[in-house]
Amino acid sequence: MFRDTLALCRKDLRVEWMTRITSLQVVPFAVVIVVLFGFALGPDPKQLRPAAPGVFWLAVLFSCILGVQRSMSVEMSDGAIDGLRLAGFDPAGIFLGKLLALVGELVGLEVLLSILTAVIFGVTLASFWLLVAATLLATVGLVAVGLLYGVLLASSRVRETLLPLLFFPVISPVLIAGTKVWQAALDRHVSTGIGWLELLGVFGAIYVAIGIVSFGPLLEDA
Amino acid sequence: MSQAIELCRAVAFAGSFPLLAGVDLSIGSGEVVLIEGANGAGKTSLLRVLAGLIPVATGSIQVLGYDLLVERRSVRTEVGLVGHQSFLYEDLTAHENLQFWMRRPAVQVIEAALERVGITGRIARTPVARLSTGQRRRAVLALLVARSPRLWLLDEPHAGLDTEGRELLDGLITEAQRSGATVLISSHEIDHVSSFATRTVSMSGGRINSSDGGNSTEDVHDVS
């Protein structure tokens, strides 16, 4: 499984390197979201500062759905998903490999986005380790849910529109917890953030476990 | 001759749509079998069932000694399927695709396979999306060469290939058969394929209509 995980991760990152979809399309999309929210909220720092964590996580959420759709469309193109099944890759390895690659891409985007959010919304990024932990755990949870729904809807003709509809309600705990941890970190109330951090950890662990167990059967029906 | 494939009243569905409606078929190891039939006869579905990609709902199915009712995944790594889709990642090169699908074998294995099908030099390092249909087809064949599966399932394999490519494919089929592999070819090019097939199987409506003996195994060796 570990070997297949690495193979899938390496392949997905190579595809991204060749196409630059994340860097040339998803990153600018996320930047536009943050900037537009900044415009919508106006120049008043009293309105901008409290909104910063929510805006950051909404931008991450929308970017994540694009990333998941892209990750699955690569497998649906020209029957590659059948190739994966015929090559005998471990389904859990496929899930974990795609998870790692997408988490890696999104974490890169989140670093850029957090700096941009800090600049536009006038906040100071404090409690650094709390921000990093929250970002990592939340991203793992988001991507795990996204990949599960992505493979579930892989054979559906309406997957592009149905995926956000199913994805957003399920990941609302991540949005809430991620925002709360960021608020706690920015306000330097670390103890408040720990509880939400635990929620993110549990959410991520549950969905990664579900993905490892159920990706195989879902892949068979894709 | 041992049996490579044994289907008895095999029924398969896509949702509620019947793909195979009770197929009885027995194919020995080392045979080259032409499957003919009109569009929608069930040829592609039969090949996908044999590759373990579509489950059989009722009946029995044994492929290369595996009971596909209980171990459908096990047979897949011993089967080479060339279908309407290439299974290749368009953004990767032919070389990178083979590296991935073969799970990083020795570079020499990949290069020898690509060279065998005429994908060399710059073409091997060009993303698949920029290759012609025929070159993509050759890249898929390179994967078969590298994997040397025991069962070759070829769905319209000559489509998109030029004369040289068709001769190359015929040569590969002959080599596979010589090495003991079983080859099933679904094709509308009946005259061409039946010239080297050991048997012709005719399908319609998801069933086998007839199964006629053709060339002997020795005749097939003379094709290349």
Side-chain angles (χ1 to χ4, degrees):
Chain A
M1 181 176 86
F2 185 63
R3 203 173 155 213
D4 290 348
T5 300
L6 283 182
L8 258 293
C9 180
R10 200 183 294 119
K11 184 269 295 174
D12 273 12
L13 291 175
R14 179 69 185 156
V15 168
E16 167 54 25
W17 178 255
M18 295 293 284
T19 59
R20 308 280 210 281
I21 295 284
T22 301
S23 51
L24 296 179
Q25 292 180 27
V26 180
V27 170
F29 172 72
V31 168
V32 165
I33 290 174
V34 172
V35 171
L36 285 180
F37 268 109
F39 286 156
L41 290 167
D44 185 0
K46 283 181 186 168
Q47 278 191 317
L48 282 175
R49 287 173 62 88
V55 171
F56 170 82
W57 282 109
L58 278 174
V60 169
L61 225 65
F62 291 133
S63 305
C64 180
I65 201 101
L66 291 184
V68 167
Q69 281 178 334
R70 167 67 184 159
S71 181
M72 290 314 298
S73 74
V74 165
E75 304 305 340
M76 297 312 291
S77 168
D78 218 358
I81 202 160
D82 283 339
L84 283 177
R85 294 156 69 191
L86 286 168
F89 280 96
D90 186 327
I94 298 172
F95 171 75
L96 290 175
K98 296 191 81 63
L99 180 96
L100 271 183
L102 201 46
V103 166
E105 290 171 25
L106 282 176
V107 164
L109 176 141
E110 285 160 355
V111 169
L112 192 76
L113 217 54
S114 56
I115 295 167
L116 184 76
T117 307
V119 171
I120 291 180
F121 288 75
V123 293
T124 308
L125 298 175
S127 308
F128 192 67
W129 70 268
L130 194 61
L131 291 179
V132 171
T135 304
L136 278 176
L137 291 174
T139 308
V140 168
L142 290 176
V143 174
V145 174
L147 287 175
L148 273 171
Y149 278 114
V151 72
L152 184 72
L153 299 172
S155 58
S156 168
R157 288 179 192 169
V158 290
R159 59 179 175 270
E160 282 84 7
T161 45
L162 201 55
L163 182 61
L165 203 63
L166 295 173
F167 178 70
F168 287 136
V170 175
I171 51 76
S172 52
V174 176
L175 177 67
I176 295 166
T179 304
K180 293 288 184 188
V181 179
W182 265 59
Q183 269 170 355
L186 298 182
D187 295 340
R188 293 185 168 79
H189 294 153
V190 176
S191 56
T192 315
I194 297 293
W196 293 105
L197 199 63
E198 286 170 357
L199 176 68
L200 288 175
V202 170
F203 185 95
I206 288 172
Y207 274 95
V208 168
I210 292 173
I212 289 171
V213 173
S214 63
F215 206 74
L218 292 173
L219 196 67
E220 287 300 314
D221 290 333
Chain B
M1 185 171 26
S2 62
Q3 294 301 314
I5 294 168
E6 191 84 57
L7 283 92
C8 183
R9 291 191 288 279
V11 175
F13 294 94
S16 58
F17 183 78
L19 299 171
L20 299 183
V23 169
D24 291 299
L25 182 64
S26 185
I27 294 172
S29 295
E31 278 198 81
V32 177
V33 178
L34 163 65
I35 304 169
E36 55 124 350
N39 293 332
K43 305 186 296 293
T44 299
S45 298
L46 175 63
L47 296 185
R48 289 177 65 82
V49 164
L50 294 173
L53 292 175
I54 298 175
V56 167
T58 62
S60 67
I61 176 168
Q62 294 266 342
V63 178
L64 301 175
Y66 295 100
D67 182 352
L68 295 204
L69 288 178
V70 290
E71 46 181 347
R72 200 153 50 92
R73 283 187 191 169
S74 308
V75 78
R76 290 176 184 164
T77 50
E78 300 194 45
V79 166
L81 175 66
V82 173
H84 297 292
Q85 296 168 310
S86 74
F87 309 142
L88 300 173
Y89 291 106
E90 295 201 328
D91 302 311
L92 302 182
T93 66
H95 194 279
E96 287 168 338
N97 265 289
L98 256 69
Q99 234 178 357
F100 174 70
W101 293 119
M102 294 288 296
R103 300 176 183 195
R104 300 183 82 78
V107 175
Q108 296 93 315
V109 174
I110 295 173
E111 286 179 352
L114 287 169
E115 202 174 315
R116 177 71 182 84
V117 300
I119 303 278
T120 53
R122 197 170 49 85
I123 301 173
R125 309 276 171 190
T126 301
V128 168
R130 289 189 217 150
L131 299 181
S132 70
T133 308
Q135 286 169 329
R136 287 186 198 203
R137 205 61 158 173
R138 284 170 183 251
V140 177
L141 293 176
L143 185 58
L144 283 192
V145 171
R147 285 181 61 197
S148 314
R150 289 169 62 200
L151 176 60
W152 290 44
L153 303 170
L154 311 177
D155 196 358
E156 296 291 347
H158 294 92
L161 287 173
D162 55 18
T163 309
E164 194 188 326
R166 294 160 71 91
E167 286 170 4
L168 167 76
L169 173 62
D170 294 346
L172 291 177
I173 291 170
T174 306
E175 280 174 26
Q177 206 249 356
R178 274 184 185 149
S179 67
T182 308
V183 184
L184 267 73
I185 309 167
S186 156
S187 181
H188 292 294
E189 299 191 32
I190 297 164
D191 289 343
H192 177 70
V193 177
S194 59
S195 68
F196 57 85
T198 54
R199 189 145 62 101
T200 300
V201 167
S202 176
M203 287 189 78
S204 71
R207 287 193 177 87
I208 304 289
N209 285 343
S210 63
S211 180
D212 305 320
N215 304 299
S216 69
T217 309
E218 287 71 28
D219 293 334
V220 180
H221 290 166
D222 296 333
V223 170
S224 64

